[in-house]
């Protein structure tokens, strides 16, 4: 455990809560969470489940009804045909990733993680006893993994490649062409499994996303397609993620789960089954609102001295802003900003705006700005960031 870091995004949120308790007005642009409510019909399904007495243990990997809803979702939205033995529900997509790694990775194995990446992948790999093999995908490449990079990094100890599109923290979205090019490389390396983390699937501003297993059906036997209800359905607190993949892997995850957390909450499962069957009509106006917020954030950062965003993020609800222009400047108290961690601390202490430094995502100097907050908070936070940048010498 000495080698495992606490989630930096959870740490930022804890700091914000502490500052707010002390009476400071801090706007949290550090959390991967939307300010929208869980749709009422989904809440009603949860309430109904309690009233029906659906409050007992269920099958470890999900009730038959939830599994059927997951199977239908994969068919309808992804063009993927998974049977009930090839899907599983867990307590959040995070638990799916955790269980998949713990079930398959052993000492000596490595897991290829294109960076910038979600904070938890490398730590989960370390917990499982493996070695994260981070591969840098800079802004000039659109923050996207290039086929030749993938080919060069895979070795005989590579167990997994993790893909996350739309991406946290960059918002980059892999096109069908880009996925196909990666698939071509993967065909040369038949022992490598692929985890496609599609949790931001619907949060994309131009066109639709496609998932690897649909773009390259011949790889399906070694792809774990991960998704959940946290983001699209604003259900972060309910804790429900799911996956489709080869039956042997789903069985291994199920066995591990049976000896750890057992089933996800029975009430949550009923609500999630409803969420997955409901048309996404409720979501499209939310997506339009998010696009407006993204554009406002980009316009504000354009005004802020020392912050730069390129390329424009096409998905998720994050802006990954380069903050190199602020390093070397001095704060009103006389201290110099040396790292993106210093910039994030300056913004939270002096401007009351919490962001997450790029180091947390393995690329510096950057700040991840999560714009899924209420419009008035976002506008105020943007003004504060512009003013705080202007106060630097
Ligand atoms: N994957 C990515 C890329 C994420 O950003 C997150 C949450 O922020 C998750 C997985 C975890 O989602 P869940 O709330 O379903 O555990």
């Amino acid at each position: 455990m000495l080698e495992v870091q606490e989630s930096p995004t959870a740490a930022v949120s804890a700091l914000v809560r502490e500052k707010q308790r002390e009476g400071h007005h801090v706007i949290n642009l550090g959390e991967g969470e939307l300010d929208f409510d869980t749709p009422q019909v989904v809440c009603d399904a949860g309430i109904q489940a309690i009233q029906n007495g659906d409050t007992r243990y269920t099958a470890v990997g999900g009730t038959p009804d939830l599994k059927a809803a997951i199977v239908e979702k994969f068919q309808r939205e992804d063009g993927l045909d998974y049977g009930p033995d090839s899907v599983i529900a867990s307590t959040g997509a995070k638990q799916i990733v955790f269980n998949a790694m713990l079930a398959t990775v052993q000492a000596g194995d490595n897991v290829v993680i294109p960076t910038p990446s979600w904070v938890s992948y490398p730590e989960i790999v370390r917990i499982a006893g493996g070695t994260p093999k981070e591969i840098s995908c800079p802004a000039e490449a659109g923050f996207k993994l290039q086929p030749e990079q993938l080919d060069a990094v895979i070795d005989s100890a590579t167990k997994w490649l993790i893909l996350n599109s739309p991406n946290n923290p960059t918002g980059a979205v892999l096109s069908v062409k880009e996925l196909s090019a990666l698939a071509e490389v993967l065909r040369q390396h038949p022992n490598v499994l692929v985890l496609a983390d599609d949790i931001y699937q619907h949060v994309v501003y131009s066109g639709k996303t496609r998932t690897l297993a649909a773009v390259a059906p011949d790889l399906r036997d070694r792809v774990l397609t991960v998704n959940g209800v946290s983001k699209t359905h604003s259900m972060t607190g309910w804790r429900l993620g799911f996956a489709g993949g080869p039956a042997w892997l789903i069985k291994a995850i199920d066995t591990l789960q049976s000896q750890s957390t057992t089933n996800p909450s029975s009430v949550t499962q009923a609500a999630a089954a409803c969420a997955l069957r409901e048309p996404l009509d409720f979501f499209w106006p939310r997506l339009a609102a998010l696009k407006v917020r993204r554009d406002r954030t980009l316009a504000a950062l354009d005004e802020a001295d020392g912050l730069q965003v390129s390329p424009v993020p096409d998905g998720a609800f994050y802006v990954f802003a380069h903050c190199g222009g602020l390093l070397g400047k001095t704060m009103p108290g006389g201290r110099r900003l040396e790292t993106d961690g210093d910039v994030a601390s300056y913004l939270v202490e002096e401007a009351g705006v919490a962001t997450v430094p790029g180091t947390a995502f393995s690329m510096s100097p950057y700040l991840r700005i999560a714009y899924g907050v209420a419009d008035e908070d976002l506008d105020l936070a943007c003004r504060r960031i512009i003013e705080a940048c202007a106060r630097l010498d």
Side-chain angles (χ1 to χ4, degrees), residues 32 91-95 118 121 164 168 197 199-200 228 230-231 236 239-241 318:
T91 304
K94 187 181 258 181
Q95 195 193 12
W118 182 43
Y121 300 136
N164 172 218
N168 173 8
D197 182 345
I199 192 100
Y200 297 97
S230 282
K231 311 293 175 178
T236 44
R239 310 307 303 128
L240 197 292
Y318 309 109

Side-chain angles (χ1 to χ4, degrees), residues 53-386:
D54 292 342
T55 52
R56 300 177 189 278
Y57 291 130
T58 72
V60 169
T63 60
D65 186 52
L66 176 60
K67 283 198 167 187
I70 293 169
V71 167
E72 288 159 28
K73 179 262 179 271
F74 275 128
Q75 269 168 352
R76 192 177 62 244
E77 294 181 357
D78 304 273
L80 293 174
D81 281 319
Y82 289 121
D85 291 345
S86 293
V87 297
I88 186 162
S90 295
T91 304
K94 187 181 258 181
Q95 195 193 12
I96 296 272
V97 177
F98 188 93
N99 286 354
M101 294 299 133
L102 206 60
T104 55
V105 171
Q106 49 198 354
D109 291 343
N110 69 58
V111 174
V112 174
I113 304 172
T115 63
S117 79
W118 182 43
V119 295
S120 294
Y121 300 136
E123 302 312 311
I124 289 174
V125 170
R126 270 190 264 274
I127 292 170
T131 306
K133 212 168 182 186
E134 298 189 357
I135 173 165
S136 177
C137 305
E140 301 76 61
F143 298 117
K144 293 179 186 183
L145 177 65
Q146 302 301 306
E148 25 331 322
Q149 277 184 303
L150 178 61
D151 195 39
V153 77
I154 290 175
D155 62 23
S156 58
T158 302
K159 194 81 179 192
W160 287 90
L161 161 69
I162 297 184
L163 290 179
N164 172 218
S165 170
N167 179 270
N168 173 8
T170 66
V173 181
L174 291 171
S175 67
V176 169
K177 198 165 156 217
E178 288 159 342
L179 284 170
S180 301
L182 296 175
E184 195 48 44
V185 175
L186 289 162
R187 287 187 186 104
Q188 316 306 316
H189 302 279
N191 296 326
V192 177
L193 299 163
V194 189
L195 189 152
D197 182 345
D198 297 346
I199 192 100
Y200 297 97
Q201 171 180 26
H202 295 298
V203 192
V204 60
Y205 302 113
S206 50
K208 271 190 165 27
T209 54
R210 293 285 303 281
T211 193
L212 180 71
V215 170
D218 57 312
L219 300 183
R220 249 195 58 181
D221 282 352
R222 52 188 171 114
V223 175
L224 185 68
T225 306
V226 178
N227 216 315
V229 291
S230 282
K231 311 293 175 178
T232 307
H233 294 86
S234 292
M235 292 177 71
T236 44
W238 295 77
R239 310 307 303 128
L240 197 292
F242 55 89
W248 69 266
L249 178 58
I250 297 297
K251 175 78 187 112
I253 292 174
D254 191 283
T255 301
L256 185 56
Q257 195 161 297
S258 78
Q259 295 295 10
S260 54
T261 54
T262 316
N263 57 277
S265 150
S266 57
V267 175
T268 291
Q269 289 189 60
C274 166
L276 293 178
R277 289 193 173 113
E278 272 301 300
L280 286 172
D281 299 349
F282 75 95
F283 184 67
W284 307 129
R286 295 179 175 195
L287 184 65
L290 282 175
K291 188 168 188 222
V292 171
R293 290 180 195 173
R294 178 200 65 174
D295 292 342
R296 276 195 205 178
T297 310
L298 292 174
L301 294 181
D302 206 34
E303 270 185 61
D305 249 355
L307 294 177
Q308 220 191 355
V309 183
S310 172
V312 168
D314 198 30
F317 39 85
Y318 309 109
V319 166
F320 201 53
H322 189 264
C323 63
L326 297 178
L327 302 188
K329 294 196 176 191
T330 45
M331 294 182 261
R335 256 189 51 228
R336 263 163 67 98
L337 296 173
E338 308 281 3
T339 64
D340 53 15
D342 291 345
V343 177
S345 301
Y346 169 65
L347 289 180
V348 79
E349 296 293 341
E350 301 294 325
V353 179
T355 59
V356 184
T359 31
F361 309 95
S362 304
M363 190 169 285
S364 290
Y366 282 90
L367 293 179
R368 189 193 74 174
I369 296 168
Y371 54 82
V373 300
D375 289 336
E376 52 281 15
D377 284 342
L378 185 63
D379 287 345
L380 180 57
C382 286
R383 270 204 309 282
R384 287 180 178 183
I385 292 174
I386 294 171

Side-chain angles (χ1 to χ4, degrees), residues 1-57:
M1 287 312 297
L2 293 176
E3 287 173 25
V4 177
Q5 284 174 22
E6 179 195 5
S7 162
T9 43
V12 168
S13 297
L15 175 70
V16 171
R17 277 192 285 272
E18 191 186 311
K19 290 210 148 291
Q20 286 169 340
R21 255 199 314 276
E22 288 168 2
H24 299 282
H25 185 259
V26 180
I27 301 168
N28 191 359
L29 303 187
E31 198 147 55
E33 183 165 70
L34 295 173
D35 72 319
F36 305 125
D37 292 329
T38 304
Q40 189 56 47
V41 60
V42 176
C43 294
D44 290 344
I47 293 165
Q48 196 60 52
I50 296 173
Q51 284 171 345
N52 289 351
D54 292 342
T55 52
R56 300 177 189 278
Y57 291 130

